Amino acid sequence: MKKGNALLLLAVIPFGTFVVLFLLVPVISMIWGSFQTDGGGAFTIAQYKEVLSNPYYFQAFQNSVLISFLSSAIGIIAAVFAAYAITRTPKHVRERLLVITNLTSNFAGIPLAFAFIVLLGNSGVFTLLCKQLGIDLGSFQLYSWTGLTLIYVYFQLPLAVMLLYPIYYGIQEQWKEAAELLGATSTIFWLRIGLPVLLPGIAGTFSILFANAMGAYASAYALTGSTYNLVPIRIGALVSGDIFARPELGSALAVLLGMTLVAALLLNEWLTRKIRRNLS
Amino acid sequence: MRRMNPSHISFVLVLTYLFLPVAATLIYSLATEWNKTVLPEGLTLKWFAELFRDFPFLQALGRSFLLSGLTTVAALIVMVPAIFVIVVYAPRLERWVQTLVMMTYAVPGVIMAVGLLRTYSGTGIPMILVTAGAYVVGLLPFIYQGTRNSLRTIHAASLMEAAELLGASRGRAFVKIIVPNIMPGILVAGLLSFSILFGEFVLVNMLVGGRFETLQIYLYAKLSKSGHIASAITVTYFLFMAIISGLAVKFSRGNKATRKEAAS
Amino acid sequence: MSYVQINHLSKKFGQQTVLQQLDLTLEKGQLITLLGPSGCGKSTLLRIISGLSAPDSGTIRIDGKDITTTRPKDREIGMVFQSYALFPNLTVAENISFGLEMKKMPMAQIRRSVQETIELVGLQGKEKAFPHELSGGQQQRVALARSLVTRPKVLLLDEPLSALDAQIRKTLQKQLRSIQRELSMTTVLVTHDQEEAMAVSDRICIMDAGRIVQQGTPHEIYTRPRCEFVARFIGSYNVLTAEELLRLAPEFSCSSAKLYAIRPETLRDQEMEDGIAVTGTVDNVTMLGNITRYEISAVGVRLFADYLHHSWEPQDIGRKKTIYLDPKDVIPLDDASA
């Protein structure tokens, strides 16, 4: 028995070591650093004060929240309908669609930004096509906020579909039949029963999408380097080695961003628990 | 033909939206010249030929494979036994694992990089090892999910009890009974992990950058140079992803098939 | 003319015939049970009556009106599903009032009807509870109330009690039957539990492979099974071939039937007038609650014999035993269904 227990400990120790070395220590060090003066040495809350009072960083948060909210909203609305359509397809089609969706969910970051440059960049395929056909794209610019939002929506969509799709299986076919026998039309069923039942799941998925977009870095970085004023881009610029590096300020930004994400994820967990209770 | 309703329209739009950038990049990587005309002037494989003769590209590809592959294997070796022990023998600790899973979600690459740079830069520890270590921890959600689900399906706790009653030690029972039975699930989790690491850019770029040029970093460097070459890289990357997903689907199918056989 | 008339109903799923040329009639206020093994087509029949599935051919008339192609919501039919299908986001009261709201009934009237129905099924005090806060039996009663409150012409019950444990099932059977009588609600119950069918029905229809093989009162069904399927499904009848029966009781005068059924409890262990004595070896003795079942083999024929209040003596096994068979209790069976 003793020997067995030692074996158990042996299995958990390496895992614990990795978690401590590459998750807990860095996070604590970052939090510690966020309360230090530039270059370290003394305790201060000045870094947080600066983040909250400097309009530049405040704007970064505003931009991040805005693009995350917008791309999550567009993604979730499209996915609510698309995921429902997927549940209605025959099984073999459905499986294939999910594989494709999952595949495109791997298409993110640098390659994705590049694919959008090819499609919508200044001499992009779609841009050229419109020019040839005489369609005016107006002031559309890939390197603008609209352009970046399009890319965000792209990487939100597969994630939203994959997360929402199983939630539809919580809607029992017999609820629809019962409602129908009681005289409800399909629209009334979805408004009174279907959507309210799905709502916690939709909201939970939304918070995951929001967190996902808030932390996204590579797409915006690939498009214009550090031009976009987004929180992850600011953190990257403050931390990695150019002359303006201020790692303590970057840490404070990172802690605030992390807290936003934790809030979004806690919201999701609370909503998920609510669904489970409702359906038990 | 059924009436088109909002869900069908939205479904078609979503698929088109997901498909268009991939298709554009694919055609661009095969086009001879495509600057002024609606359709490419001609098709060619010369960009791919050029790419695969490019030594730095092959090196980057190799580095990506090495980094993602070794890290995935290390993560599986470290985590699968630990998750097994926790799920089967200390289920009370599972709550802590779930908290860690949530932490990894709350600490995306860019935040992780801040902490890792503070902790390890200037300590003499090679940053590429630090990156790999962070990757291992970052894979926790996927490996935890896959391993736990597999353990549940095979009723690991009862299997272990049965093996121990028959006289096997715990270590032996784990290696001889549990591991072979959860292998398909672990393979799928491994492939998923590999593809995630293969596409990772933020951490490796901020921690190591040009000193260890992976495929992603190589692609980033080529973005402003040649559109056709960058397209060819993107297409190559996408093809690798497709092959890996294909393998994952095949393994998870095989998994189901063996389960069915066992049931009949 | 009967209240519900179903004529020549057929239904196929792909290659598989689920209902074939099925006829069924139902009088107003009756409770009729469709009883059969799973896959016999009883649930499909229920779904076709409700309008949730369409038949391939045949007609359904309720109260003289042909409703074969009427939409489900216009049929005035109530249905309780096996899983209850309660709306999880609505309270008990909201679940029950849903159908009345769809009928655009005035609020005051809805409130009154809902309250009455809640009292009828005995759920007072649970009005504001959500389905997940209720026990299985309570959920079942909400489902019943929800389909009763609209006063449907016909109430359909699809294995409504099968998810509950034995104790609650017995209580709810009684309650269900008394509510049905009180409202004289025309009801079709689907079940695979023959005890339940015996306990609550005015009439039982035994179904097999998409057909009704026998219908009658519970008493008729139990005492006069018409074919082997019913004899085997309804009780643990001994089913013997003519040849086996003659070997066992040479003095028995056979009719033309090839198969005969003998109820285990009609085999006495005391001598009786006209009784044919059969001697065999006791192979096994099983306690079935208040009944003791003997498994006896005689001249190569296996018989089950049930005795009430019989103290089981383990040493009986292997002994010789004589039992007596009353020729009046030997029921000839049609061999059509075989």
Side-chain angles (χ1 to χ4, degrees):
Chain A
M1 212 58 210
K2 262 261 162 75
K3 200 181 144 216
N5 282 334
L7 214 63
L8 299 190
L9 217 57
L10 203 69
V12 182
I13 285 174
F15 170 61
T17 313
F18 267 91
V19 168
V20 169
L21 283 182
F22 298 107
L23 185 65
L24 299 184
V25 169
V27 166
I28 291 166
S29 154
M30 175 183 76
I31 295 172
W32 173 254
S34 72
F35 288 104
Q36 295 281 306
T37 50
D38 282 345
F43 178 87
T44 178
I45 55 163
Q47 309 291 1
Y48 286 97
K49 266 194 192 152
E50 182 171 350
V51 171
L52 296 175
S53 60
N54 186 332
Y56 188 53
Y57 296 121
F58 182 76
Q59 197 200 28
F61 265 100
Q62 225 176 8
N63 289 339
S64 270
V65 167
L66 203 66
I67 195 169
S68 302
F69 190 86
L70 210 64
S71 65
S72 308
I74 297 171
I76 203 126
I77 290 169
V80 160
F81 291 106
Y84 178 68
I86 290 180
T87 63
R88 305 265 97 188
T89 54
K91 191 163 179 278
H92 60 280
V93 180
R94 192 164 64 218
E95 276 177 2
R96 241 160 252 169
L97 286 172
L98 289 176
V99 171
I100 293 173
T101 314
N102 193 27
L103 179 61
T104 49
S105 77
N106 270 323
F107 198 47
I110 312 291
L112 176 64
F114 176 70
F116 266 84
I117 295 174
V118 169
L119 191 64
L120 291 170
N122 290 337
S123 54
V125 175
F126 195 74
T127 321
L128 281 180
L129 186 70
C130 286
K131 248 182 226 157
Q132 294 275 334
L133 298 176
I135 302 168
D136 186 19
L137 281 177
S139 56
F140 176 81
Q141 253 280 341
L142 180 64
Y143 305 94
S144 67
W145 285 106
T146 325
L148 190 63
T149 309
L150 284 180
I151 297 181
Y152 272 51
V153 168
Y154 187 99
F155 68 68
Q156 300 277 44
L157 272 174
L159 187 63
V161 170
M162 299 298 283
L163 289 172
L164 274 183
Y165 157 80
I167 294 172
Y168 275 98
Y169 285 92
I171 303 269
Q172 287 176 22
E173 206 52 35
Q174 298 203 324
W175 295 345
K176 283 187 214 166
E177 295 178 349
E180 194 181 355
L181 285 173
L182 291 168
T185 59
S186 168
T187 315
I188 292 181
F189 170 78
W190 282 109
L191 285 180
R192 291 275 317 262
I193 316 245
L195 267 182
V197 171
L198 289 178
L199 211 55
I202 294 176
T205 304
F206 182 86
S207 60
I208 295 263
L209 295 184
F210 182 78
N212 183 41
M214 283 297 283
Y217 170 84
S219 308
Y221 182 73
L223 223 47
T224 63
S226 4
T227 316
Y228 285 108
N229 189 14
L230 290 168
V231 179
I233 298 286
R234 286 285 73 78
I235 295 174
L238 283 171
V239 172
S240 53
D242 56 20
I243 25 168
F244 304 108
R246 286 180 63 190
E248 287 76 18
L249 185 61
S251 296
L253 264 178
V255 170
L256 289 175
L257 177 61
M259 277 161 56
T260 324
L261 302 188
V262 168
L265 292 166
L266 283 178
L267 183 70
N268 167 61
E269 202 172 280
W270 179 69
L271 290 165
T272 316
R273 220 177 292 139
K274 206 170 140 149
I275 306 179
R276 255 188 236 133
R277 200 194 57 210
N278 260 334
L279 297 181
S280 64
Chain B
M1 189 62 201
R2 284 225 315 262
R3 198 164 52 95
M4 287 291 273
N5 62 30
S7 71
H8 290 119
I9 296 168
S10 159
F11 174 58
V12 171
L13 281 179
V14 166
L15 275 186
T16 315
Y17 194 65
L18 293 180
F19 176 72
L20 268 182
V22 180
T25 313
L26 176 65
I27 300 175
Y28 203 74
S29 73
L30 294 171
T32 46
E33 195 75 32
W34 198 7
N35 288 329
K36 297 166 199 82
T37 48
V38 175
L39 286 171
E41 285 162 26
L43 294 178
T44 172
L45 280 173
K46 77 171 175 185
W47 309 115
F48 282 95
E50 199 175 302
L51 183 63
F52 279 89
R53 273 199 307 268
D54 181 21
F55 192 59
F57 164 74
L58 293 175
Q59 271 184 317
L61 193 63
R63 282 193 207 99
S64 276
F65 259 101
L66 210 62
L67 180 61
S68 316
L70 289 181
T71 311
T72 301
V73 171
L76 289 173
I77 292 173
V78 167
M79 284 192 210
V80 173
I83 292 165
F84 163 77
V85 163
I86 289 169
V87 168
V88 175
Y89 294 109
R92 268 182 311 170
L93 291 180
E94 252 197 283
R95 264 196 49 230
W96 288 100
V97 178
Q98 279 157 5
T99 310
L100 285 176
V101 166
M102 213 187 88
M103 257 184 93
T104 59
Y105 281 130
V107 185
V110 67
I111 299 185
M112 203 62 235
V114 176
L116 290 168
L117 278 171
R118 273 196 69 83
T119 314
Y120 295 107
S121 74
T123 56
I125 301 171
M127 283 316 262
I128 188 66
L129 283 185
V130 174
T131 310
Y135 279 179
V136 167
V137 176
L139 290 177
L140 175 66
F142 313 100
I143 296 180
Y144 169 64
Q145 192 85 15
T147 311
R148 192 199 48 178
N149 291 350
S150 302
L151 288 172
R152 292 231 171 120
T153 6
I154 65 162
H155 301 287
S158 327
L159 277 186
M160 282 302 283
E161 281 167 5
E164 281 182 67
L165 284 175
L166 292 169
S169 69
R170 281 182 177 176
R172 207 176 150 73
F174 175 69
V175 173
K176 288 269 171 193
I177 309 291
I178 303 296
V179 172
N181 275 303
I182 59 173
M183 212 48 188
I186 294 192
L187 266 174
V188 173
L191 287 169
L192 177 66
S193 302
F194 181 83
S195 62
I196 287 165
L197 295 186
F198 205 74
E200 211 284 327
F201 170 77
V202 185
L203 263 186
V204 74
N205 185 52
M206 280 176 75
L207 296 186
V208 193
R211 281 167 289 154
F212 192 85
E213 212 174 42
T214 62
L215 187 62
Q216 296 281 329
I217 296 178
Y218 183 80
L219 172 61
Y220 180 70
K222 285 277 172 210
L223 279 190
S224 47
K225 304 235 168 64
S226 160
H228 292 288
I229 289 287
S231 291
I233 300 172
T234 305
V235 168
T236 308
Y237 166 75
F238 198 78
L239 278 178
F240 273 123
M241 290 297 112
I243 291 167
I244 291 166
S245 324
L247 285 176
V249 169
K250 212 181 127 211
F251 282 126
S252 57
R253 287 247 173 83
N255 198 9
K256 265 179 226 155
T258 49
R259 243 181 273 145
K260 256 180 221 153
E261 260 165 47
S264 63
Chain C
M1 194 158 149
S2 298
Y3 192 62
V4 178
Q5 274 201 309
I6 292 169
N7 291 320
H8 300 308
L9 216 57
S10 291
K11 176 80 180 171
K12 273 186 181 178
F13 286 132
Q15 292 292 311
Q16 203 192 352
T17 305
V18 190
L19 296 176
Q20 30 182 330
Q21 299 286 313
L22 187 134
D23 295 309
L24 178 68
T25 59
L26 183 50
E27 302 307 323
K28 197 169 175 152
Q30 257 192 349
L31 191 157
I32 186 170
T33 297
L34 304 175
L35 175 64
S38 52
C40 70
K42 54 192 194 306
S43 289
T44 307
L45 177 56
L46 211 64
R47 291 177 62 83
I48 290 176
I49 299 175
S50 72
L52 294 172
S53 298
D56 296 337
S57 62
T59 57
I60 306 165
R61 301 173 83 83
I62 293 180
D63 203 6
K65 216 171 82 188
D66 187 338
I67 57 146
T68 315
T69 55
T70 310
R71 285 185 304 172
K73 63 189 200 112
D74 299 325
R75 291 188 181 204
E76 296 185 67
I77 277 177
M79 183 156 171
V80 174
F81 292 86
Q82 189 172 6
S83 63
Y84 316 138
L86 297 179
F87 306 135
N89 59 318
L90 304 183
T91 62
V92 168
E94 287 166 347
N95 260 286
I96 298 174
S97 66
F98 188 87
L100 299 176
E101 285 169 43
M102 294 302 122
K103 286 188 167 178
K104 308 243 161 34
M105 203 182 258
M107 249 356 253
Q109 206 179 329
I110 290 181
R111 228 171 284 135
R112 209 173 331 117
S113 297
V114 168
Q115 201 47 47
E116 274 170 24
T117 315
I118 282 179
E119 280 162 28
L120 181 70
V121 298
L123 279 171
Q124 295 95 321
K126 293 285 178 196
E127 290 87 346
K128 293 208 161 61
F130 284 95
H132 65 89
E133 296 165 337
L134 302 177
S135 70
Q138 287 169 334
Q139 290 184 14
Q140 207 284 325
R141 282 184 280 170
V142 178
L144 184 64
R146 186 176 67 181
S147 43
L148 281 176
V149 74
T150 53
R151 290 291 179 273
K153 286 181 172 165
V154 179
L155 176 65
L156 307 176
L157 306 169
D158 187 5
E159 309 237 7
L161 306 174
S162 64
L164 303 168
D165 48 29
Q167 289 279 321
I168 300 167
R169 196 158 60 212
K170 291 262 155 57
T171 326
L172 277 176
Q173 277 170 11
K174 268 191 211 136
Q175 210 187 358
L176 184 69
R177 180 60 160 161
S178 78
I179 291 172
Q180 183 265 332
R181 282 216 172 109
E182 193 181 327
L183 304 176
S184 65
M185 178 65 68
T186 314
T187 304
V188 183
L189 168 74
V190 157
T191 183
H192 62 263
D193 175 351
Q194 17 107 358
E195 268 184 57
E196 184 170 297
M198 294 286 164
V200 301
S201 318
D202 290 310
R203 249 167 7 111
I204 296 177
C205 299
I206 310 268
M207 288 187 67
D208 179 33
R211 275 190 246 250
I212 293 178
V213 289
Q214 185 174 359
Q215 54 177 308
T217 63
H219 184 260
E220 283 166 358
I221 296 276
Y222 188 67
T223 54
R224 291 199 292 280
R226 205 184 288 150
C227 61
E228 187 187 0
F229 176 81
V230 177
R232 288 198 191 278
F233 189 74
I234 206 72
S236 39
Y237 270 88
N238 293 298
V239 178
L240 306 181
T241 62
E243 186 261 327
E244 282 174 325
L245 185 60
L246 284 176
R247 226 189 312 152
L248 211 57
E251 55 268 59
F252 183 78
S253 51
C254 275
S255 60
S256 62
K258 291 195 182 106
L259 286 173
Y260 295 85
I262 305 164
R263 242 170 31 242
E265 69 268 25
T266 61
L267 293 166
R268 312 277 166 78
D269 58 353
Q270 273 139 16
E271 219 171 318
M272 57 181 154
E273 216 182 314
D274 300 331
I276 302 166
V278 176
T279 305
T281 318
V282 179
D283 285 344
N284 204 357
V285 184
T286 321
M287 278 293 296
L288 301 171
N290 56 350
I291 286 170
T292 310
R293 171 163 298 170
Y294 280 74
E295 224 174 301
I296 297 164
S297 57
V299 287
V301 181
R302 167 138 318 180
L303 285 175
F304 292 104
D306 288 353
Y307 302 109
L308 205 58
H309 298 306
H310 213 86
S311 57
W312 171 38
E313 300 291 341
Q315 56 267 39
D316 278 354
I317 294 176
R319 287 202 182 161
K320 291 274 178 211
K321 188 169 177 68
T322 303
I323 51 176
Y324 300 89
L325 167 65
D326 188 339
K328 286 198 292 291
D329 289 325
V330 179
I331 307 159
L333 300 174
D334 297 346
D335 47 15
S337 76

